Protein backbone atom coordinates (compact mmCIF):
# COMPACT_ATOMS: atom_id res chain seq x y z
CA UNK A 1 0.00 0.00 0.00
CA UNK A 2 1.79 3.11 -1.27
CA UNK A 3 1.00 5.59 1.51
CA UNK A 4 1.48 3.16 4.42
CA UNK A 5 4.42 3.87 6.74
CA UNK A 6 5.05 0.20 7.56
CA UNK A 7 4.82 -0.87 3.89
CA UNK A 8 7.54 1.74 3.27
CA UNK A 9 9.62 0.25 6.09
CA UNK A 10 9.18 -3.25 4.60
CA UNK A 11 10.21 -1.87 1.20
CA UNK A 12 13.29 -0.14 2.63
CA UNK A 13 12.07 3.35 1.66
CA UNK A 14 12.13 4.30 5.35
CA UNK A 15 15.08 3.00 7.38
CA UNK A 16 14.54 0.81 10.42
CA UNK A 17 16.59 -1.25 12.84
CA UNK A 18 15.86 -4.82 11.80
CA UNK A 19 15.45 -7.58 14.37
CA UNK A 20 14.33 -10.36 12.01
CA UNK A 21 13.15 -10.88 8.44
CA UNK A 22 11.89 -13.73 6.28
CA UNK A 23 9.73 -13.93 3.17
CA UNK A 24 6.50 -13.22 5.09
CA UNK A 25 7.40 -11.20 8.16
CA UNK A 26 9.56 -8.23 9.16
CA UNK A 27 10.49 -7.26 12.74
CA UNK A 28 12.17 -4.02 13.82
CA UNK A 29 12.76 -1.91 16.91
CA UNK A 30 10.13 0.67 17.77
CA UNK A 31 11.29 4.27 17.24
CA UNK A 32 9.74 5.30 20.57
CA UNK A 33 10.36 2.36 22.93
CA UNK A 34 7.99 1.89 25.84
CA UNK A 35 10.15 -0.73 27.57
CA UNK A 36 13.89 -1.59 27.61
CA UNK A 37 13.17 -3.99 24.72
CA UNK A 38 10.37 -2.95 22.34
CA UNK A 39 10.12 -4.25 18.81
CA UNK A 40 7.33 -4.65 16.28
CA UNK A 41 6.51 -7.77 14.26
CA UNK A 42 4.56 -7.14 11.06
CA UNK A 43 3.39 -9.13 8.06
CA UNK A 44 5.04 -7.89 4.85
CA UNK A 45 1.61 -8.04 3.25
CA UNK A 46 -0.53 -5.01 4.05
CA UNK A 47 -3.28 -5.97 6.53
CA UNK A 48 -4.86 -2.95 8.23
CA UNK A 49 -5.33 -4.37 11.73
CA UNK A 50 -6.44 -7.41 13.74
CA UNK A 51 -9.93 -6.52 12.56
CA UNK A 52 -8.96 -7.25 8.96
CA UNK A 53 -7.73 -10.81 9.59
CA UNK A 54 -9.63 -13.38 7.49
CA UNK A 55 -9.38 -17.11 6.73
CA UNK A 56 -7.45 -16.09 3.58
CA UNK A 57 -4.71 -14.10 5.35
CA UNK A 58 -4.60 -15.57 8.86
CA UNK A 59 -1.65 -17.92 8.22
CA UNK A 60 0.74 -14.98 8.37
CA UNK A 61 -0.66 -14.02 11.76
CA UNK A 62 0.23 -17.47 13.10
CA UNK A 63 3.65 -17.02 11.54
CA UNK A 64 4.07 -13.69 13.35
CA UNK A 65 3.65 -15.56 16.62
CA UNK A 66 6.22 -18.19 15.61
CA UNK A 67 8.60 -15.29 14.91
CA UNK A 68 7.82 -13.70 18.28
CA UNK A 69 8.67 -16.99 20.03
CA UNK A 70 11.89 -17.42 18.04
CA UNK A 71 13.15 -13.84 18.32
CA UNK A 72 12.47 -13.53 22.04
CA UNK A 73 14.30 -16.84 22.57
CA UNK A 74 17.23 -15.65 20.44
CA UNK A 75 17.39 -12.41 22.47
CA UNK A 76 17.30 -14.38 25.74
CA UNK A 77 13.92 -12.92 26.70
CA UNK A 78 11.72 -15.30 28.69
CA UNK A 79 8.97 -12.94 29.86
CA UNK A 80 7.36 -10.36 27.64
CA UNK A 81 4.08 -8.76 26.58
CA UNK A 82 2.52 -8.86 23.09
CA UNK A 83 0.10 -6.04 22.21
CA UNK A 84 -1.87 -5.22 19.07
CA UNK A 85 -3.97 -2.07 19.11
CA UNK A 86 -6.96 -2.24 16.77
CA UNK A 87 -8.54 1.11 15.94
CA UNK A 88 -7.67 4.67 16.95
CA UNK A 89 -9.52 4.58 20.26
CA UNK A 90 -7.59 1.43 21.19
CA UNK A 91 -4.33 3.27 20.52
CA UNK A 92 -3.59 2.26 16.93
CA UNK A 93 -1.66 4.98 15.10
CA UNK A 94 -0.25 3.00 12.15
CA UNK A 95 -2.88 1.14 10.19
CA UNK A 96 -0.75 -1.83 9.15
CA UNK A 97 -1.14 -4.85 11.45
CA UNK A 98 1.67 -5.06 13.98
CA UNK A 99 2.43 -6.83 17.21
CA UNK A 100 4.33 -4.88 19.84
CA UNK A 101 6.72 -7.05 21.84
CA UNK A 102 7.70 -5.40 25.12
CA UNK A 103 10.14 -6.72 27.71
CA UNK A 104 12.66 -5.77 30.34
CA UNK A 105 10.43 -4.18 32.95
CA UNK A 106 7.47 -5.11 35.11
CA UNK A 107 4.15 -4.59 33.29
CA UNK A 108 0.92 -3.37 34.82
CA UNK A 109 -2.61 -4.63 34.23
CA UNK A 110 -5.05 -3.44 33.04
CA UNK A 111 -3.35 -1.41 30.30
CA UNK A 112 -4.47 2.22 30.09
P1 LIG B 1 0.39 1.75 17.31
O1 LIG B 1 0.32 3.12 17.95
O2 LIG B 1 -0.26 1.76 15.94
O3 LIG B 1 -0.09 0.63 18.18
O4 LIG B 1 1.92 1.46 17.11
C1 LIG B 1 2.70 2.09 16.14
C2 LIG B 1 4.11 2.09 16.63
O5 LIG B 1 4.95 2.44 15.55
C3 LIG B 1 4.38 3.12 17.75
O6 LIG B 1 4.84 2.43 18.91
C4 LIG B 1 5.43 4.04 17.14
O7 LIG B 1 6.42 4.45 18.08
C5 LIG B 1 6.03 3.19 16.04
N1 LIG B 1 6.53 3.96 14.91
C6 LIG B 1 5.91 5.00 14.30
N2 LIG B 1 6.66 5.45 13.28
C7 LIG B 1 7.79 4.67 13.27
C8 LIG B 1 8.95 4.67 12.44
O8 LIG B 1 9.11 5.45 11.49
N3 LIG B 1 9.89 3.74 12.72
C9 LIG B 1 9.77 2.85 13.76
N4 LIG B 1 10.75 1.98 13.95
N5 LIG B 1 8.66 2.82 14.55
C10 LIG B 1 7.69 3.73 14.30
ZN1 LIG C 1 1.05 -1.31 5.00
Amino acid sequence: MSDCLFCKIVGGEIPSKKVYEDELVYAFYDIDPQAPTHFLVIPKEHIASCGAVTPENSAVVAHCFEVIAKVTKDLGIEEFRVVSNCGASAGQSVFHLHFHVLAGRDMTWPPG
Side-chain angles (χ1 to χ4, degrees), residues 1 4 6-7 46-47 95-96:
M1 203 183 170
C4 169
F6 285 178
C7 284
H46 182 88
I47 299 171
F95 289 80
H96 178 129

Side-chain angles (χ1 to χ4, degrees), residues 20-98:
Y20 174 89
E21 180 174 17
D22 63 27
E23 67 281 3
L24 296 174
V25 165
Y26 188 67
F28 57 105
Y29 286 103
D30 198 291
I31 204 167
D32 181 22
Q34 301 301 311
T37 300
H38 182 181
F39 61 88
L40 304 172
V41 178
I42 70 175
K44 288 186 169 178
E45 168 192 1
H46 182 88
I47 299 171
S49 74
C50 283
V53 175
T54 65
E56 289 70 38
N57 66 19
S58 63
V60 75
V61 177
H63 189 59
C64 284
F65 279 86
E66 290 177 39
V67 168
I68 289 167
K70 175 188 164 32
V71 171
T72 50
K73 200 165 288 150
D74 289 351
L75 294 175
I77 296 167
E78 292 179 353
E79 299 189 341
F80 55 91
R81 179 172 286 179
V82 180
V83 173
S84 190
N85 300 318
C86 180
S89 69
Q92 188 175 10
S93 60
V94 178
F95 289 80
H96 178 129
L97 177 63
H98 51 283

